[in-house]
Amino acid sequence: PAAFLPTIAPTRCTGCGRCVAACAAHVLSLHPLGWVKTAALDDAAHCTGCAQCKVVCPFGAVRMVRASNLAASPTEITSKNSN
């Protein structure tokens, strides 16, 4: 896995899909969260850490976080299991 992985802030994510489209590794997707969609990292093991998702997000919803810190702050991680 990559040293840095994307985390998506559901309060900032509009579900526009730009990050999903920019992901060459195809590890991001959109998931329903109530009546809206939000992006989620589905496959951290195959994420390259390239940060293109962060670059293309016009809403500042994507942050790159050191992978070793993810276990320490699970509330910042949006996953398909958080519905």
Side-chain angles (χ1 to χ4, degrees):
F4 289 86
L5 295 172
T7 59
I8 294 100
T11 56
R12 296 188 68 111
C13 179
T14 65
C16 71
R18 290 179 185 168
C19 60
V20 174
C23 182
H26 305 290
V27 297
L28 294 173
S29 63
L30 293 175
H31 295 277
L33 185 65
W35 290 96
V36 296
K37 289 184 179 178
T38 188
L41 176 63
D42 290 327
D43 190 359
H46 289 101
C47 179
T48 63
C50 71
Q52 284 303 305
C53 51
K54 177 181 173 20
V55 171
V56 301
C57 181
F59 307 103
V62 182
R63 289 188 325 128
M64 298 303 289
V65 177
R66 188 174 302 276
S68 60
N69 292 347
L70 288 181
S73 58
T75 57
E76 293 184 8
I77 303 168
T78 302
S79 72
K80 63 183 175 184
N81 296 328
S82 65
N83 297 358

